[in-house]
Amino acid sequence: RPRDLDHRRASGLCAQCHGELVLKDNFSEFEPGKDLLDYAHVLEYLPEAPPAWLKEAIVDEPRILQDSFWRDGTIRIAGRDFNGLVKTGCYTAGEMSCITCHAMHGSDRNDQLKASAKGDAVCVECHADIGRAVEAHTHHDADSSGSHCYNCHMPHTTVGLLGLIRAHRVDSPNANVTQRTGRPNACNLCHLKKSLTDVADNLSAWYGHAPLAGPDPAPDMSYILDQLLRGDAVQRATAAWHMSWTPAMKASGDDWQAPYLAELLDDPYSAIRAIAGESLKKLPTFSDFNYDYVGNKADQEAGRKKANDHWAQTTATLENEAAILLTAQGVDRNRVTQLKSQRDDRPIRVNE
């Protein structure tokens, strides 16, 4: 009975499956209720000074750290939720466990969330002061998606099942972390038209964050659009998924994303093509858009053309917006081509 155990041992039950673990040399069969860390190490992003057990694991899977983690140590592959939880202060300094939010029985069958975890109730049980003055903390209207705890502190930065799921490392958006590590922050993932500099300025004004430590390579451009065109495979997948995320469309509009999602319909990864195609279908007037993400190159090019033609035919005249590469003549195709030519095409293996 997990509820009869302390939060660490209760979470260890889940981590047998929902964790990336390295068994210890003296491993014997794990007994539920015992401390999992007596039996296994939790995989961590320690590329500079890996302990002996991690060095041995890397021999068998040389790319496991680069592929599995954002460079700030946040796991980015679905099914490894425990690896995020153990990097969370609510777990390490508090008593948060898997069953704080999840239940095996009587819960939603999709994500097994308790009814109380569908909103902010679980969070404000501990963070009551914030719950009593949520607008002062979030700088968003109390009833907006920007005032939901999990949208800011558990953004969708984990890739799995041809989509994105919430990170299980609970932390706060930080533009400097994004710049240093490439992990998109919650602010940019909702405010799709904002640059990283825009977000950094707001976080500095609201929470006293330090300004960006280095120059922003695209200070006048949407950070997420830059990631979609120039990012690595996981960054492109993350950007494409958020282009049709309902809170993001509400905050950033829904009539400009199509030609940029079309740029991913010939992506080298079929998973990214699938995510981009599904995002297109969620945009207004694209619900009937058909695209075979495992088709050949001719199919991919036909899909790109069909998406661009449909957007041009169904979209009213838009304002010039340099941040999203729109001009009086439409999409700045030269700039798009230039950015896409700089894409990070290093191979990534997302081993779900």
Side-chain angles (χ1 to χ4, degrees):
R1 294 177 180 271
R3 66 174 177 267
D4 294 338
L5 303 172
D6 65 68
H7 74 289
R8 293 176 183 269
R9 292 172 188 258
S11 298
L13 294 176
C14 306
Q16 295 176 84
C17 292
H18 295 275
E20 184 77 40
L21 308 173
V22 178
L23 300 181
K24 293 187 175 180
D25 291 338
N26 62 347
F27 174 77
S28 58
E29 187 173 350
F30 175 65
E31 296 180 32
K34 298 292 182 67
D35 187 344
L36 182 70
L37 298 187
D38 289 340
Y39 298 84
H41 302 282
V42 180
L43 186 69
E44 294 183 75
Y45 185 71
L46 300 169
E48 303 301 328
W53 62 267
L54 184 53
K55 286 182 180 179
E56 293 177 10
I58 293 172
V59 170
D60 293 331
E61 295 188 68
R63 291 190 53 85
I64 191 169
L65 298 186
Q66 290 81 1
D67 292 347
S68 301
F69 293 90
W70 296 102
R71 293 194 303 277
D72 66 344
T74 302
I75 196 83
R76 63 182 185 182
I77 302 178
R80 278 56 165 200
D81 313 304
F82 184 71
N83 298 68
L85 181 65
V86 297
K87 302 287 286 185
T88 296
C90 304
Y91 173 86
T92 59
E95 296 184 357
M96 182 179 179
S97 72
C98 303
I99 61 173
T100 300
C101 298
H102 297 280
M104 290 288 289
H105 306 286
S107 58
D108 185 291
R109 286 176 294 178
N110 180 47
D111 50 27
Q112 294 187 315
L113 276 177
K114 295 178 179 178
S116 60
K118 293 286 187 181
D120 301 322
V122 169
C123 302
V124 299
E125 283 180 6
C126 292
H127 302 281
D129 291 346
I130 292 174
R132 286 191 289 269
V134 66
E135 290 186 10
H137 175 69
T138 65
H139 298 271
H140 288 71
D141 291 340
D143 60 352
S144 78
S145 59
S147 282
H148 288 314
C149 306
Y150 44 79
N151 280 340
C152 292
H153 299 288
M154 296 180 67
H156 296 83
T157 56
T158 301
V159 178
L161 301 176
L162 297 181
L164 274 289
I165 67 172
R166 293 192 182 277
H168 280 65
R169 178 184 186 177
V170 182
D171 68 351
S172 297
N174 186 305
N176 272 295
V177 171
T178 296
Q179 184 181 52
R180 187 174 69 252
T181 70
R183 179 166 67 107
N185 63 76
C187 305
N188 283 117
L189 290 173
C190 193
H191 298 278
L192 300 176
K193 296 181 179 181
K194 297 296 184 182
S195 69
L196 189 60
T197 295
D198 293 331
V199 167
D201 289 345
N202 278 321
L203 293 176
S204 295
W206 294 346
Y207 306 111
H209 286 199
L212 287 179
D216 183 348
D220 300 318
M221 180 182 167
S222 155
Y223 176 77
I224 294 303
L225 182 53
D226 187 57
Q227 294 274 287
L228 184 144
L229 295 171
R230 291 201 302 168
D232 70 19
V234 175
Q235 290 168 331
R236 299 197 301 275
T238 304
W241 188 89
H242 282 88
M243 286 284 182
S244 68
W245 184 42
T246 299
M249 289 194 292
K250 186 173 181 180
S252 308
D254 58 13
D255 57 356
W256 59 273
Q257 294 94 327
Y260 305 114
L261 287 169
E263 292 297 320
L264 296 183
L265 297 184
D266 66 349
D267 194 273
Y269 288 93
S270 57
I272 296 176
R273 300 196 297 269
I275 293 170
E278 287 302 307
S279 278
L280 273 168
K281 291 180 183 179
K282 294 176 183 177
L283 299 179
T285 79
F286 274 86
S287 59
D288 294 331
F289 180 76
N290 291 315
Y291 168 72
D292 182 2
Y293 70 91
V294 292
N296 58 33
K297 281 293 183 183
D299 295 329
Q300 295 169 21
E301 184 55 40
R304 285 185 63 202
K305 184 178 186 306
K306 182 168 67 172
N308 280 309
D309 289 348
H310 182 77
W311 181 74
Q313 294 163 8
T314 59
T315 302
T317 302
L318 299 174
E319 298 291 331
N320 291 0
E321 289 192 72
I324 53 173
L325 307 183
L326 288 182
T327 70
Q329 289 74 41
V331 175
D332 184 346
R333 294 290 176 187
N334 290 334
R335 183 74 173 128
V336 169
T337 300
Q338 177 192 26
L339 290 168
K340 196 172 178 181
S341 71
Q342 301 169 11
R343 186 174 66 193
D344 184 347
D345 277 330
R346 286 175 292 182
I348 292 178
R349 179 172 177 261
V350 175
N351 181 24
E352 293 184 50

